[in-house]
């Protein structure tokens, strides 16, 4: 495979909130992109790494961690604790950096739709703009929430607006519309001794974004989702996934899973709230199957920083639970799944972000497991869920090294994995059970916004 050598444009988005000044630009040194590194990797015969684009300046600091991904057309957008990167993936096996946007914050989870890009900020900042440093959470002037960019010129994203949300935004799910986009903002709380994250925080924030006037974005609703929760239980949600066509949303809300009716996006109704103290610790994320009759909830036992795939951890902990959505829209657990490979006690490993592989008549998920790698697994029969393919790097050096795949999503014939420390991986799965997915072409993908295929 030939190398594509291009100069990456580094965009320093250091404009103040509401100011539409041109961003400062610098040019990084030319370097090859989309190469396959020589390293020790365990993988199934049907899943191979075809390209890797490593992290590069300005995302080369000790906490320049890669986070979530989104897709639109021939572009992949990858969040990072230092901002986000736009990749050209018109040739998936030779991807290259189009733009890196410096806009530090944790976690910078990302979604894109039309001409807009959204980032989740879940740490107090001194101000709204990308140039702001870390803030003092005890001060009312500290800010966290949603940042909005205009990507009508995808090579030159322009910072447009920031919207403060209660307790910030750990993640968000996008409900797109012709005139208004809605963001369901999930955030943990309450957090003691903070000015903007007081109790009880048993809610989400819904941000309304006028498509033609994103600078007018605002918090339009803060619905309470929980009733009768145990005293002292952590409030808020970690992640939500919406399926607008089915008028459903699923929320992974730390101690509980919830199913919601979102026929009215500003007034979601909780259909059911479920707990599972035997198998689950931290309800982390959710994915519907294509026909909306099942939902997979993940358990981020240990918070993503601990080795939860060792021989000592029970197989029913730190994995996935498959729930049926009954005809009367109730949740019934049908099965559990966890990767079958035992990891070392130095590897942070637990269930994390994934998406459906679009195969008609089957329920197949590709999923990130931090240093447990990437797993492709079939839950068509929830009671007998099984792995189809896997990719697993050797352990990072150091007893407490944080790394591995944060998110792994299938998009138009390839799997794209955002590795926390190693950059963007592109993988190709070749298996009769997944091959039909290659015939389905998506215009874009936000994994937390599901669409029928």
């Amino acid at each position: 495979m030939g190398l594509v050598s291009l100069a990456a444009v580094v965009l320093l988005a250091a404009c103040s909130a509401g100011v539409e000044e041109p961003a400062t630009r610098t040019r990084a040194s030319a370097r090859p992109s989309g190469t396959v590194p020589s390293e020790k990797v365990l993988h199934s015969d049907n899943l191979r790494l075809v390209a890797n684009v490593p992290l590069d300046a300005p995302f080369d600091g000790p906490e320049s961690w890669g986070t979530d991904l989104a897709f639109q057309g021939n572009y992949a957008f990858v969040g990072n604790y230092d901002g986000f990167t736009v990749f050209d993936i018109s040739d998936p096996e030779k991807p290259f950096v189009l733009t890196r946007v410096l806009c530090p914050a944790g976690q910078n989870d990302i979604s894109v739709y039309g001409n807009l890009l959204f980032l989740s900020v879940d740490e107090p900042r001194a101000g709204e703009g990308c140039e702001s440093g870390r803030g003092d959470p005890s001060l009312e002037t500290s800010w966290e929430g949603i940042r909005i960019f205009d990507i009508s010129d995808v090579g030159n994203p322009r910072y447009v607006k920031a919207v403060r949300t209660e307790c910030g935004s750990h993640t968000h799910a996008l409900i797109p519309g012709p005139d208004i986009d809605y963001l369901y903002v999930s955030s943990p709380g309450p957090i003691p001794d903070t000015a903007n994250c007081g109790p009880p925080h048993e809610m989400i924030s819904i941000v309304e974004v006028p498509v033609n006037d994103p600078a007018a974005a605002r918090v339009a609703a803060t619905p309470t989702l929980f009733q009768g929760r145990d005293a002292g239980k952590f409030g808020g949600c970690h992640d939500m996934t919406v399926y607008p066509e089915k008028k459903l949303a699923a929320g992974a809300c730390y101690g509980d899973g919830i199913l919601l009716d979102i026929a009215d996006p500003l007034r979601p109704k909780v259909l059911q709230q479920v707990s599972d103290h035997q198998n689950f610790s931290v309800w982390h994320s959710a994915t519907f199957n294509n026909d909306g009759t099942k939902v997979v909830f993940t358990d981020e036992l240990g918070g993503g920083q601990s080795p939860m795939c060792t021989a000592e951890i029970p197989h029913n902990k730190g994995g996935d639970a498959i729930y049926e959505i009954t005809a009367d829209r109730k949740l019934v657990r049908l099965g559990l799944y966890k990767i079958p490979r035992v990891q070392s006690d130095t590897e942070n490993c637990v269930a994390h972000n994934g998406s459906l592989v679009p195969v008609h008549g089957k329920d197949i998920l590709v999923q990130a497991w931090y240093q447990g790698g990437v797993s492709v697994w079939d839950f068509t029969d929830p009671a007998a869920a099984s792995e189809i393919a896997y990719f697993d790097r050797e352990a990072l050096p150091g007893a407490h090294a944080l790394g591995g795949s944060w998110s792994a999503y299938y998009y138009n014939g390839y799997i794209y994995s955002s590795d926390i420390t190693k950059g963007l991986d592109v993988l190709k799965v070749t298996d009769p059970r997944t091959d039909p997915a290659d015939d389905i072409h998506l215009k874009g993908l936000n994994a937390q916004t599901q669409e029928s295929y």
Side-chain angles (χ1 to χ4, degrees), residues 17-289:
V19 178
E20 299 180 2
E21 298 176 351
T24 303
R25 301 180 193 174
T26 62
R27 187 170 293 276
S29 59
R31 60 174 294 140
S33 294
T35 61
V36 179
S38 176
E39 58 185 341
K40 184 178 179 181
V41 174
L42 295 175
H43 65 92
S44 55
D45 292 340
N46 56 357
L47 185 60
R48 61 188 176 91
L49 179 69
V50 298
N52 168 266
V53 184
L55 295 172
D56 199 359
F59 297 170
D60 54 356
E63 295 184 6
S64 295
W65 296 323
T67 59
D68 209 10
L69 304 98
F71 303 86
Q72 189 160 259
N74 290 324
Y75 301 103
F77 303 80
V78 184
N80 187 285
Y81 272 68
D82 276 335
F84 66 92
T85 302
V86 184
F87 291 91
D88 187 311
I89 56 170
S90 51
D91 182 345
E93 299 194 14
K94 297 179 182 179
F96 62 88
V97 173
L98 182 66
T99 302
R100 293 199 193 271
V101 178
L102 185 63
C103 193
Q107 305 176 140
N108 278 333
D109 274 19
I110 193 166
S111 65
V112 294
Y113 194 80
N115 291 328
L116 298 178
L117 179 148
F118 306 97
L119 294 179
S120 278
V121 175
D122 189 28
E123 66 172 5
R125 306 295 296 181
E128 298 178 347
C130 291
E131 80 288 353
S132 64
R134 286 190 169 94
D136 183 342
S138 67
L139 300 179
E140 292 186 0
T141 54
S142 67
W143 179 91
E144 53 187 328
I146 295 289
R147 284 173 172 155
I148 304 173
F149 287 78
D150 184 312
I151 55 169
S152 51
D153 180 355
V154 71
N156 296 282
R158 181 175 58 86
Y159 177 67
V160 174
K161 172 75 172 181
V163 180
R164 181 198 299 272
T165 59
E166 183 177 320
C167 299
S169 174
H170 196 68
T171 61
H172 66 268
L174 168 67
I175 302 178
D179 301 312
I180 295 176
D181 294 334
Y182 296 101
L183 303 179
Y184 279 22
V185 174
S186 297
S187 56
I191 300 176
D193 303 320
T194 59
N196 300 304
C197 191
H201 191 64
E202 294 188 331
M203 42 72 75
I204 60 170
S205 297
I206 302 178
V207 175
E208 180 181 84
V209 185
V211 172
N212 294 322
D213 186 15
R218 66 185 183 91
V219 174
T222 54
T224 297
L225 300 183
F226 309 109
Q227 301 292 335
R229 260 188 158 189
D230 297 338
K233 184 174 285 188
F234 212 48
C237 292
H238 184 285
D239 207 321
M240 300 191 75
T241 294
V242 296
Y243 202 154
E245 180 183 333
K246 308 291 184 182
K247 297 181 173 54
L248 288 174
C253 303
Y254 296 99
D256 306 276
I258 57 173
L259 184 68
L260 301 100
D261 182 318
I262 58 169
D264 183 342
L266 289 176
R267 297 174 178 82
K269 299 178 182 178
V270 176
L271 299 170
Q272 190 178 9
Q273 177 179 337
V274 294
S275 297
D276 183 354
H277 300 298
Q278 178 182 359
N279 299 299
F280 262 44
S281 175
V282 180
W283 294 67
H284 173 275
S285 54
T287 304
F288 293 97
N289 70 340

Side-chain angles (χ1 to χ4, degrees), residues 318-360:
D320 301 311
I322 306 112
Y323 279 77
E324 176 188 11
I325 302 174
T326 63
D328 58 348
R329 299 201 292 182
K330 299 295 183 183
L331 294 168
V332 178
R333 182 168 56 81
L334 299 179
L336 299 169
Y337 172 78
K338 190 174 182 179
I339 55 172
R341 288 167 310 288
V342 173
Q343 306 291 310
S344 73
D345 60 7
T346 68
E347 294 176 279
N348 60 304
C349 175
V350 76
H352 212 232
N353 296 337
S355 72
L356 291 181
V357 179
V359 179
H360 290 294

Side-chain angles (χ1 to χ4, degrees), residues 44 46 364 375-378 386-390 429 431 433-434:
S44 55
N46 56 357
I364 299 176
S375 177
V376 182
W377 59 283
D378 188 329
S386 61
E387 188 168 70
I388 290 174
Y390 68 90
V429 59
D431 189 283
R433 292 163 290 185
T434 62

